[in-house]
Every structure is written in structure tokens, then in C-alpha cells.
Amino acid sequence: MKFKINNGLIYFFGALGGLLFGYDTGVISGALLFIKNDLHLTSWTEGIVVSSILFGCMIGAAISGAMSDRWGRKKVVLIAASVFCIGALGTALAPNTGVLILFRVILGLAVGSASTLVPMYLSEMAPTSIRGALSSLNQLMIMTGILLAYIINYVFAATGSWRWMLGFALIPGLLMLIGMLFLPESPRWLLKQGKEPEARTILNYMRKGHGVEEEIREIKQANELEKNQGSFSEVKQAWVRPALIAGIGLAVFQQIIGCNTVLYYAPTTFTNVGLGASAAILGTVGIGIVNVIITAIAVLIIDKVGRKPLLLIGNAGMSLALFVLGIVNALLGPSTAASWTTVICLAVYIAFFSLSWGPVVWVMLSEIFPLKIRGIGMGIGSVTNWLANLIVSLTFPKLIEQFGISTMFIIYGIMGVLAFIFVTRKVSETKGKSLEQIEIDLRQQAERKKFNFSQSIQK
């Protein structure tokens, strides 16, 4: 087996699903300003148009993990890339609200699949020493996709051409589809299927021969503990439960601390505090630039600082920004001072999110589950994330209409404090450990708890 693509391009194309994920979730923020006039959306149908993609995301995330465990990571990513292209064309050509919503759901199937498969593929391809950085490429691509969406929104803002905004996603979709044809399958999945020669060839190519036999030995050791194909029933085993609790908690808190209300509704938020449509989209471009720069910094430091410290630092900064944002808007109302404070606070919030909860959650979800059920575990984490995203995004327009921007952001700030407590108590550090060592530690932790419990009973 020979590859005509270097490691950097393998990681780039592997992470390209993240760019589409970011573009298709971010583009609606600017397009919505024009869609709601063209298609006469109410606050409720506005929420449905935005959140319909999330319904598809839940389905895509739910089925793609198990499909990738059975058919392989590469094949399912290729299917997702094809669906990306179909969804992009469908939303761009939609003649009415119903068709737009339908193709947003179809697009969501691909976005949900990407959210599950891209970080998992990258983590399984990456060497331990830089796994956090390479897995974080997914989030960097998501943020780049969001920034690209904001820029395209601004380019077409003068004409209100929302169809071009949505249809532009076809270009990176085709790029991902073509690029994935040349990428290797995950060697960890191949070893699980008993295809050791093929896996060894890929690892030798990726690692340039360094430490390959030791890595294969670790993977096979983990596989020996897991003879059969993973199933949903095995996710509920006692020794897996800490990973499941951590994964679900991280997935939910990433959404209920308000990240996607900022990304989806930033232009709407800016117009609510007095900015015009073009100025609101331009302000969002600024947030997108901050997003990409800080995420790039996170890629550089995640394997040095660690996952858990970054999550805690992020919580502190995000909650503070949200509290300031809520209080200032409550005191000043729609005004120039409130407008600039909103821009600054949202930029600070996004900076801390991009440094922490943006990249780290997806990195940890790809690390904490055992190989046998990694696809299923990632699927559960992704479905939970998209469900929380759906609830927050669907209710945000109505809640902000009911309670006002100040109250909503203060509530999200409180959620950030609760997330800080959760991370402190329930999340374990994974920095510097191989995926197999993380799994072995999980088993040993369960054995220690079982031993300590039996000892307490005897006493």
C-alpha cells in the first residue's frame, strides 16, 4: 500500500469536515437577516430555520458513530461529504420555508456525522505527544469555517443574496469529498478488524517507522480485553460509566453556557443593541477573526497546559464576560455604550471559548471512550451536544423576546459557574496518555472502586 499524500495533508483533509461543520452552522447567522424578510419568518419559524439543522445533526451523530465502528471511519466520512454537497445545493435553491427547513435537516445529517467522525479520526491517526493539537485541528477548522461564513455573509450583505451565502458550502464540500478518497483508514479500526498488515503499513507511513511496534502492541493489548464488536449495552458497564458521565456533561455544558447563541445569533444580538445589518455582520466578522486566532493558540498549548486547566480557565473568563454583558445592557439599554460593550464582551467570551470549551470538549470526547465502543461513545456525546444545542437555539429567539438580552446572558453566566464545578469534580486529565492507557486507567479506576467498596463492606 502506497500513499501519495503527506502527513500534513492527511490531517488537513481529515479535519476538513470541521470547516464544513463551522460554515454550515455559522452562515445562517448573517443569512437569517435576509431570509426572514424574503420568507416572512416569525420569531418561532426563525428559530425553526436555525435549529432544523440541529435535528439532522442529532440523527447524523447517532448513526455515524456505530456505522464507523462497523464500516470504518473513512467510508462514513465519504458518505457525509456527499450529503454536505446535496444539502448545500438544496438550501441555496429552496423555494419556500418548508423546503429550506427540509434541506437544513439533510445538511444536519452531514454536520452531525462530521462532529462525531472528524475528531475521532484525527485522534486515532495522531501520535500521543501531539494528539491534543492534531485533534484540535477539528475545532480550528470549525472556527475557520465560521469565519469564512461571516466573510461570505458580509460580501453578499449589500445585495441580501442569502442563497449565495448558503450555496457557497458546495465548494469545500466537494474538496472534502475528493480529498478523503486519498486518505488512509484509521489503523486502530483496522487492527480491531484483524487487518494488522494494513494497519502496520499505515502506521509506518504516518510515524516514519518510530515506535510503531510498541503502538501496535498497546492497541492489541486493549483489543484483547474486547473480543467482540461493541454495542450500546456495553456503554452502560460500570467501568465505562465515569467516561460516559464526563462525556455527556461536557457535551451539555458546552451548549448551555451559550456558545452557539453567540455564533448563530451574533448579528441579531448586535441589531438588538442598535447596530445596522451590515455593521452587525461586520462586527461578527471581527468575532470570527478572534475565534480563529485564539483557537490556533489553543492548538499550540493544549498538549502543554492540559485539557482540564484550559476548561477551568475558559469557564472563568466566559462567565465573567457574560455577567458584564448582561449587567451593562440592563443598566444602559440600547445605546452606543451598550453596543460597544456588547461587541467587546462577546469578543472576550468567544476568545475564552475558543481557547477552552471549543477545542477541548471535542478532543476529550474522542479520547475518553474505549476503542471497542469509541464510535458509539462519540455518537452519544455528539447527540447529547446537538440536543442541547437544539434546545438552546430553538428557544433563544423566544426567550430573548420574553426576558430580554440581559437576563439571558446572566443565566448563561450562571451555567458557566455550574460547568466549572462539574469539570472540577467529574473530568479527569488525559494529557500525555495514549488512547490505550486512558482505557486501561478507566478499568483500573473501576477495579479500585470495587475493591474499596468490598473492603468497606468487610469492615
Side-chain angles (χ1 to χ4, degrees):
M1 183 188 302
K2 294 182 179 180
F3 304 104
K4 297 181 179 180
I5 184 170
N6 64 38
N7 283 9
L9 287 177
I10 288 175
Y11 295 130
F12 170 78
F13 282 113
L16 196 56
L19 185 139
L20 282 159
F21 175 168
Y23 188 90
D24 287 314
T25 54
V27 71
I28 197 65
S29 64
L32 192 62
L33 297 177
F34 309 105
I35 293 173
K36 63 184 178 184
N37 292 328
D38 270 9
L39 301 182
H40 311 293
L41 304 181
T42 65
S43 62
W44 185 245
T45 53
E46 178 184 342
I48 293 175
V49 167
V50 172
S51 58
S52 55
I53 193 173
L54 307 177
F55 180 73
C57 287
M58 286 191 295
I59 299 173
I63 63 176
S64 61
M67 286 169 61
S68 72
D69 279 344
R70 187 169 297 277
W71 298 341
R73 311 330 187 194
K74 179 178 175 176
K75 288 180 182 177
V76 184
V77 173
L78 282 169
I79 294 171
S82 303
V83 177
F84 266 125
C85 296
I86 295 168
L89 280 175
T91 54
L93 300 174
N96 54 52
T97 305
V99 175
L100 177 62
I101 290 171
L102 172 63
F103 277 98
R104 289 275 291 170
V105 172
I106 291 171
L107 200 55
L109 296 174
V111 174
S113 298
S115 72
T116 300
L117 299 174
V118 170
M120 180 166 61
Y121 179 82
L122 290 172
S123 72
E124 291 188 346
M125 297 298 288
T128 299
S129 60
I130 56 171
R131 188 181 64 242
L134 291 176
S135 298
S136 297
L137 279 179
N138 176 55
Q139 186 67 19
L140 180 59
M141 294 293 267
I142 291 173
M143 296 300 103
T144 303
I146 290 171
L147 175 58
L148 178 62
Y150 291 163
I151 292 171
I152 294 298
N153 284 346
Y154 183 68
V155 168
F156 290 107
T159 58
S161 304
W162 59 268
R163 295 183 187 278
W164 284 100
M165 297 176 185
L166 300 181
F168 188 85
L170 179 63
I171 296 173
L174 289 172
L175 185 62
M176 177 183 174
L177 181 61
I178 295 168
M180 282 302 300
L181 292 172
F182 299 94
L183 265 59
E185 181 55 84
S186 161
R188 284 176 165 79
W189 182 83
L190 289 170
L191 278 167
K192 190 174 71 169
Q193 305 305 311
K195 299 178 179 180
E196 185 173 333
E198 190 175 345
R200 178 176 277 102
T201 300
I202 293 171
L203 282 172
N204 275 316
Y205 179 80
M206 298 292 296
R207 308 289 188 261
K208 308 302 180 187
H210 299 302
V212 169
E213 294 307 316
E214 182 181 353
E215 189 169 353
I216 289 176
R217 187 163 53 251
E218 280 190 349
I219 298 170
K220 290 171 71 175
Q221 180 183 353
N223 283 342
E224 285 174 6
L225 300 172
E226 303 171 345
K227 294 295 184 183
N228 303 315
Q229 184 76 21
S231 64
F232 281 98
S233 62
E234 293 178 70
V235 177
K236 297 184 290 185
Q237 292 184 48
W239 72 276
V240 180
R241 198 170 299 139
L244 189 63
I245 292 170
I248 290 175
L250 289 171
V252 171
F253 275 117
Q254 189 195 55
Q255 296 305 317
I256 63 175
I257 54 181
C259 67
N260 280 315
T261 60
V262 174
L263 298 177
Y264 297 160
Y265 293 105
T268 302
T269 301
F270 290 148
T271 56
N272 285 345
V273 295
L275 297 179
S278 291
I281 292 178
L282 185 59
T284 310
V285 171
I287 285 180
I289 292 171
V290 171
N291 230 335
V292 172
I293 293 172
I294 302 299
T295 303
I297 294 172
V299 170
L300 296 175
I301 68 173
I302 188 170
D303 286 309
K304 298 174 183 176
V305 177
R307 286 59 157 156
K308 189 168 181 176
L310 283 179
L311 290 174
L312 296 175
I313 292 167
N315 273 137
M318 291 160 66
S319 295
L320 181 61
L322 289 170
F323 286 136
V324 171
L325 176 60
I327 292 168
V328 168
N329 275 278
L331 295 176
L332 301 182
S335 64
T336 302
S339 299
W340 281 108
T341 301
T342 299
V343 172
I344 293 168
C345 284
L346 290 184
V348 170
Y349 172 93
I350 282 293
F352 277 100
F353 174 78
S354 301
L355 186 69
S356 58
W357 281 77
V360 174
V361 168
W362 294 110
V363 169
M364 295 201 76
L365 285 175
S366 70
E367 293 176 330
I368 59 178
F369 293 105
L371 175 61
K372 184 179 181 182
I373 54 168
R374 186 166 295 139
I376 295 173
M378 275 292 298
I380 291 172
S382 297
V383 168
T384 305
N385 184 271
W386 288 116
L387 177 60
N389 192 338
L390 173 64
I391 294 169
V392 171
S393 303
L394 185 61
T395 58
F396 184 75
K398 205 68 181 174
L399 289 174
I400 204 169
E401 187 180 273
Q402 184 74 29
F403 299 107
I405 189 172
S406 302
T407 302
M408 289 308 302
F409 284 121
I410 288 173
I411 290 172
Y412 292 140
I414 293 170
M415 292 298 105
V417 174
L418 295 177
F420 186 98
I421 296 170
F422 175 82
V423 171
T424 302
R425 296 183 176 181
K426 297 295 183 181
V427 176
S428 300
E429 183 58 72
T430 56
K431 181 188 77 168
K433 298 178 181 178
S434 70
L435 296 176
E436 290 68 40
Q437 186 58 53
I438 293 168
E439 179 175 342
I440 290 169
D441 288 350
L442 198 60
R443 289 180 180 275
Q444 290 176 343
Q445 180 184 355
E447 288 297 321
R448 285 195 297 270
K449 285 184 177 179
K450 186 177 179 181
F451 176 77
N452 291 337
F453 179 75
S454 63
Q455 288 289 96
S456 64
I457 292 295
Q458 291 176 7
K459 290 179 181 179

